Amino acid sequence: MTRGFSVYLDIMRIVACLIVAASHLANLRYSGGSLYWIRRLDLGSDAVVIFFVLSGFLIAHTALKEGRSASHYAKARLSRIYSVALPAILFTLLIDRFGIAIDPSFYTDPFYIDAPTWKVALNGIGLTSQLHDTNLRLGTNVPYWSIAYEAWYYIAFGIAVFTRGWIRPILLLCVAGIVGLPIILLSGCWMIGVGLNWAVKSRALSQMPIPMAKAMTYAPLLVYIIALRIGVPDALQHVTLRVFNLESLDALGFSEDFTWDSLISLLFAIHLAGMYRLYKDAPETSTRYEAPIRWFAGATFTIYLFHHPILNFIGSFPAYDASAVSHVVLMAVATIVVCLLIAEVTERRLKAWKCLFNGIFARVSGMFSPGIKTASQQIT
C-alpha cells in the first residue's frame, strides 16, 4: 500500500466519522431543524457502511501478512476494540447518570434506553447487544451497535483464516447461529472490504489503464447521487419487505437497509480500487497535511463511540437552546474537543492496551501450558 493511498484511507475515516457525528447533531433536539437535511438523506447510516468496508479491507490487509498467527490476530483485535469500547461503556454509564440528574425528561426513548447497569455493561463488554433480535442500546451510546456487529465479523474472519479442515465450517456455522440474521445480513458489506484487499494485490488492478481508474474513482459518486435522487433506498426497502414477508423492517434492526448498504459498499470499494491505482503511480512524498491527517484519524474511533453521549449531556443543560446557531456550534466544537482529549488515553495509547492483552494471553496460556514461555510474545 502506497503512502498516498494510506493517507487517503485516513481521510475517508475522518470524513465518515464526522458525517456520523453530524447526523446525530442534526437531530431536532440538538440543532432545531437547521441540519435536518442530513437526517433526511440518512447520510449517517451510509457513513457507517464506509467504516465497514474500511474495516474489512484493513483487517484483511494486516491479518493475511506472512508470519501472523491466530494469537497475534486475537490480541490485536481485542486491543483495538477494547482500548476504546471499555472506556466508552464506563463513560456512557457515568455521563448518562449526570445528565439524568440535570434533566430526566431529556433522557427518553429513542435517544436513551433505560436498562440496568449490569445489563448494559455485560452486553457492552460481551458485544452481545445486537444478537438476533436483542437490539439493546447502551444508554445514549447509539453508535455502539456497529461495534457489536464488527466484532463478530472479526471472529468469523479469524476462524476462516486460522482454522483448517472440518472444524472451520462447523465453527462458522456456530458463529452464524449465535449472531442471528441481522448481523449476517450486513456481513456482505464487511466482506466487500476483504474482497477489495484481494483486488489491490492483484496484477490486473495494478496494471489497469489510468482512464479506467479515473472512471472507477468518480463514477460511484455519481451513481450514489443519482440513486438518492430517484429514491433507490426506499425502493430497496420495499423489496426487502416482500422478500422476507415482513410487515415492518424493525425485525431486522440496524440491518433494515442491508440491500442499500450493500450497494453503497460495492460503490465505495470500486471508488477505492480506482484511487489505489491512481496513487500507485504517485510519488512517495509526504505533504504538510499528512501529519495532521494521521493525528486526527488516530482519534476517529473515539469520536465515533463517545460523541453521542456527550451531545445528549450538553443538550440536557437548561441553558442550551437548540434553535440558537451559536449554541449548536459550541456543542459541536465542545464534543469534538472532548473526544480528542479522551483519545489520548484510548486509541492513542494502543501500545499500552496491547501490552495489557499480551500479559492476559501470557497468563492464560501459562495456566494451560506452564512450560511454554509466552511472556515475550509481542503484538505486531
Side-chain angles (χ1 to χ4, degrees), residues 218-236:
Y218 301 113
L221 179 59
L222 179 61
V223 172
Y224 174 73
I225 293 174
I226 293 174
L228 286 179
R229 183 72 176 178
I230 63 177
V232 170
D234 291 337
L236 290 176

Side-chain angles (χ1 to χ4, degrees), residues 5-242:
F5 185 64
S6 177
V7 172
Y8 185 73
L9 293 181
D10 279 341
I11 293 174
M12 290 294 96
R13 287 169 57 194
I14 294 170
V15 170
C17 173
L18 293 180
I19 290 176
V20 171
S23 73
H24 290 139
L25 180 64
N27 276 299
L28 296 177
R29 60 177 10 210
Y30 304 134
S31 57
S34 58
L35 299 174
Y36 203 72
W37 59 273
I38 299 175
R39 298 203 62 79
R40 282 197 296 269
L41 293 175
D42 206 17
L43 297 182
S45 296
D46 295 352
V48 173
V49 176
I50 290 178
F51 277 124
F52 275 38
V53 177
L54 290 174
S55 174
F57 173 76
L58 293 172
I59 297 304
H61 178 75
T62 57
L64 297 178
K65 288 182 178 179
E66 292 185 9
R68 298 299 171 94
S69 66
S71 176
H72 287 132
Y73 177 78
K75 287 183 282 189
R77 293 305 97 224
L78 287 170
S79 302
R80 178 59 176 160
I81 291 175
Y82 285 122
S83 64
V84 181
L86 287 178
I89 295 168
L90 178 61
F91 180 85
T92 301
L93 289 171
L94 289 175
I95 201 170
D96 283 356
R97 291 299 104 193
F98 291 137
I100 291 172
I102 295 173
D103 184 2
S105 66
F106 202 71
Y107 283 75
T108 55
D109 189 17
F111 299 96
Y112 170 75
I113 303 300
D114 190 15
T117 299
W118 67 266
K119 189 174 184 180
V120 171
L122 188 63
N123 280 273
I125 296 172
L127 300 165
T128 56
S129 62
Q130 298 300 315
L131 300 185
H132 289 274
D133 58 351
T134 304
N135 197 12
L136 174 67
R137 181 171 300 168
L138 308 185
T140 57
N141 205 317
V142 178
Y144 202 92
W145 72 267
S146 65
I147 308 305
Y149 272 58
E150 284 193 58
W152 290 97
Y153 300 152
Y154 297 163
I155 294 172
F157 183 74
I159 291 171
V161 172
F162 297 108
T163 61
R164 298 289 184 271
W166 58 268
I167 193 66
R168 179 189 293 168
I170 290 179
L171 289 177
L172 289 174
L173 285 174
C174 287
V175 170
I178 291 171
V179 300
L181 183 61
I183 292 180
I184 293 174
L185 289 177
L186 275 188
S187 63
C189 301
W190 198 85
M191 288 304 299
I192 285 174
V194 175
L196 175 64
N197 175 70
W198 172 83
V200 299
K201 293 179 179 179
S202 68
R203 182 175 300 178
L205 186 58
S206 299
Q207 297 177 350
M208 179 192 303
I210 294 299
M212 183 178 294
K214 289 183 178 179
M216 292 177 65
T217 298
Y218 301 113
L221 179 59
L222 179 61
V223 172
Y224 174 73
I225 293 174
I226 293 174
L228 286 179
R229 183 72 176 178
I230 63 177
V232 170
D234 291 337
L236 290 176
Q237 279 194 344
H238 290 304
V239 171
T240 301
L241 285 170
R242 288 197 295 269

